[in-house]
Amino acid sequence: MTMARHKKAGREAEVQTPNRSPPLETEARRGASDAGEATGEAKAGHRRAPAAPGAKARRSDAQGSATGSKPTMRDVSKLAGVSTMTVSRVLADPSIVAPETRERVMRAVDQLGYVPDLVAGSLSSRRTNFVGLILPTLTNSNFADTAQGLAEALGQSYQLLIGYTLYQAGEEERLVRSLLARRPQGIVVAGTLHTASTRRMLTNAGIPVVEIWDAPSAPLDRAVGFSNFEAGRAAARHLLSLGLRHIAAIGSEAEGDMRDARGEARLQGFAAVLREEGIETGLILRHGSAPVSYAHGAAAMKLLLRDKPGVEGVFAVSDGSAFGALMECRRQGIDVPGRISLMGFGDFELGRECEPAISTIRVDAKGIGKETGQLLRDLFEGRGADRPPSIDLGIEVDGGGGGPARPDLDAEHERGGPVGAPPFAYTPQRLPGPVADAPVSYTRARANENVLELVCRPPPDRKQARVEITREQHSSHDNTEKDNDEIG
């Protein structure tokens, strides 16, 4: 493969393109041809002309062909003293060959610098042993973690070919067409929003297709991720549990076919909770184009503080954007979390290490890759048919640093339950018994139990209370999951 540079959509990208080489011929045919030439020369009584002065001499049979040409599998077999079939088996599946033979073959491979022709192998076996991965961007550390987890789960038997779309549906369509032309074993693509042409190509590809970073009820083929809609709902419930009412959210806006569909789903989930609580949604700001960044968060926060100076809490669809918002508050001398509570998404290392740490919705980015890789291996090997089409790995709310915004609330904030269980938030009027007017500062769903444990921090003249209630006692509270297969 060679690397060619292409300029498209204002950026440079390196794309792998196949070398233009003569038609492939089998080792047997090449050997027969060589022998025929030698026989013909002998019969004619001719000798090869002596090498020109300074020309490099031909290497011995044990070393392979002439200097500068590729060593062949036959060269490896001669040097190792085994058949070409044995060399092929060592390279394809070393475990089926005796250790001593395997070591001898690998020493020959290393000595000759032999690299197997995977293209020729794939033409005969119809298996390319590579998986295509399409991501929105390569600069987001979470997507990098997903790629790493996928590569680790696939192991050395499969290779990844990665493309990025910069959130453009048209670019995703082009990448899907290009990857399918190279006959991958499977394709992994971030998100569930595709052009009609992309959907047709993926549906008719005849290979496993896994949509990641979302958990639709009806994926194209398979899906591994979580509900972005529920992530937005969890963020809103967290900020409301701090006693805040004037809360905002910031994300990007669609620009042509460039759109962050997953970030938009989080904003929609956030707005849904506000409507349920009778709170205006006018503080949800869509600003700038995807992908969001530090600069995006700073610019959006500046607009919010200018137009809505009474804002008490802000949810950003990414920790990167939340960090930019934090820096803008610092520049304007606004105390976080004392004056404004901030919350992000993604659990970036930057958000954990800044001061104060940013509250966030945590997802297992690397785990998404690992689960996807294992699913693909199962499907490649004829297993996994009984696994659900959509695997939801869940979310977790980490309220470690973005609040509280009010002094009468505990420093310990709402967190979600175990991964996969939605977090539960209860406003004061829903609490039972003697703490009915106490704000909730912490809610935990016990693993494998149908019990919610609420830790409440009442005003200073009252003692802290711990209350246990069953989910059924608050079944009227809306924690049902909502389908978000279609993003309007």
Side-chain angles (χ1 to χ4, degrees), residues 1 28 42 53 103 145 215 222 226 278 303 324 329 335 388 423 439 448 472:
M1 304 293 280
E103 291 173 9
D145 288 344
R222 303 286 180 141
F226 56 92
L303 289 176
C329 288
D335 182 20
N448 302 319
E472 286 76 7

Side-chain angles (χ1 to χ4, degrees), residues 55-60 63-72 75 112-113:
K56 295 182 179 178
R58 177 177 292 272
R59 290 188 289 185
S60 67
Q63 291 176 309
S65 53
T67 300
S69 62
K70 284 196 314 181
T72 67
D75 297 329
L112 293 172

Side-chain angles (χ1 to χ4, degrees), residues 338-370:
R339 164 67 179 80
I340 293 179
S341 292
L342 290 179
M343 186 167 205
F345 171 89
D347 190 29
F348 290 11
E349 182 180 11
L350 177 71
R352 294 194 301 269
E353 297 302 325
C354 67
E355 177 59 37
I358 298 173
S359 297
T360 192
I361 304 293
R362 181 181 296 128
V363 295
D364 187 357
K366 189 173 183 180
I368 291 173
K370 286 187 172 182

Side-chain angles (χ1 to χ4, degrees), residues 184-207:
Q185 295 293 109
I187 283 186
V188 180
V189 57
T192 59
L193 190 67
H194 317 290
T195 66
S197 180
T198 298
R199 294 179 70 87
R200 282 193 299 270
M201 286 189 290
L202 292 175
T203 301
N204 299 328
I207 58 175

Side-chain angles (χ1 to χ4, degrees), residues 106-418:
M106 293 311 298
R107 281 197 302 269
V109 167
D110 184 61
Q111 182 177 336
L112 293 172
Y114 173 71
V115 178
D117 189 342
L118 297 180
V119 173
S122 68
L123 289 175
S124 60
S125 68
R126 302 188 67 83
R127 289 178 63 90
T128 56
N129 288 347
F130 88 84
V131 172
L133 172 61
I134 300 177
L135 297 171
T137 176
L138 301 181
T139 60
N140 184 310
S141 62
N142 274 348
F143 291 135
D145 288 344
T146 296
Q148 181 181 347
L150 177 59
E152 289 178 1
L154 289 174
Q156 296 183 358
S157 300
Y158 300 92
Q159 302 298 317
L160 279 183
L161 186 59
I162 303 176
Y164 65 101
T165 68
L166 282 183
Y167 296 88
Q168 298 176 70
E171 182 66 7
E172 179 189 77
E173 180 180 320
R174 187 192 69 80
L175 286 170
V176 167
R177 181 174 285 107
S178 177
L179 283 172
L180 288 177
R182 289 165 170 78
R183 292 167 49 182
Q185 295 293 109
I187 283 186
V188 180
V189 57
T192 59
L193 190 67
H194 317 290
T195 66
S197 180
T198 298
R199 294 179 70 87
R200 282 193 299 270
M201 286 189 290
L202 292 175
T203 301
N204 299 328
I207 58 175
V209 174
V210 185
E211 296 167 294
I212 59 173
W213 278 79
D214 216 331
S217 58
L220 287 177
D221 182 18
R222 303 286 180 141
V224 177
F226 56 92
S227 170
N228 285 280
F229 187 81
E230 284 301 322
R233 288 177 60 85
R237 289 195 295 259
H238 172 75
L239 293 175
L240 288 173
S241 76
L242 300 178
L244 311 178
R245 302 292 289 179
H246 300 288
I247 59 177
I250 54 177
S252 62
E253 58 184 343
E255 184 177 306
D257 76 339
M258 184 181 294
R259 183 180 189 183
D260 180 7
R262 290 166 300 282
E264 176 62 25
R266 292 167 212 149
L267 292 181
Q268 291 184 10
F270 189 90
V273 170
L274 297 192
R275 286 192 293 269
E276 292 165 9
E277 298 295 331
I279 298 175
E280 64 168 319
T281 60
L283 296 184
I284 297 178
L285 176 63
R286 293 170 176 85
H287 172 74
S289 59
V292 296
S293 61
Y294 306 152
H296 166 271
M301 193 70 194
K302 188 174 184 178
L303 289 176
L304 275 178
L305 294 173
R306 184 194 68 188
D307 299 336
K308 305 290 183 180
V311 65
E312 299 173 318
V314 178
F315 166 58
V317 297
S318 167
D319 276 1
S321 188
F323 180 80
L326 173 62
M327 293 299 98
E328 181 60 28
C329 288
R330 288 281 184 87
R331 282 189 287 269
Q332 297 195 27
I334 296 174
D335 182 20
V336 176
R339 164 67 179 80
I340 293 179
S341 292
L342 290 179
M343 186 167 205
F345 171 89
D347 190 29
F348 290 11
E349 182 180 11
L350 177 71
R352 294 194 301 269
E353 297 302 325
C354 67
E355 177 59 37
I358 298 173
S359 297
T360 192
I361 304 293
R362 181 181 296 128
V363 295
D364 187 357
K366 189 173 183 180
I368 291 173
K370 286 187 172 182
E371 185 71 25
T372 301
Q374 186 56 57
L375 173 62
L376 285 173
R377 289 188 68 100
D378 289 346
L379 294 173
F380 294 158
E381 297 166 12
R383 304 189 304 269
D386 57 341
R387 301 184 68 176
S390 188
I391 300 174
D392 190 339
L393 299 183
I395 58 174
E396 184 179 357
V397 181
D398 182 355
R406 298 185 178 181
D408 61 336
L409 297 181
D410 191 13
E412 201 171 28
H413 310 134
E414 176 199 12
R415 294 176 63 88

Side-chain angles (χ1 to χ4, degrees), residues 61 120 158 199 298 437 457:
D61 286 343
Y158 300 92
R199 294 179 70 87
D437 60 343
R457 172 74 67 179

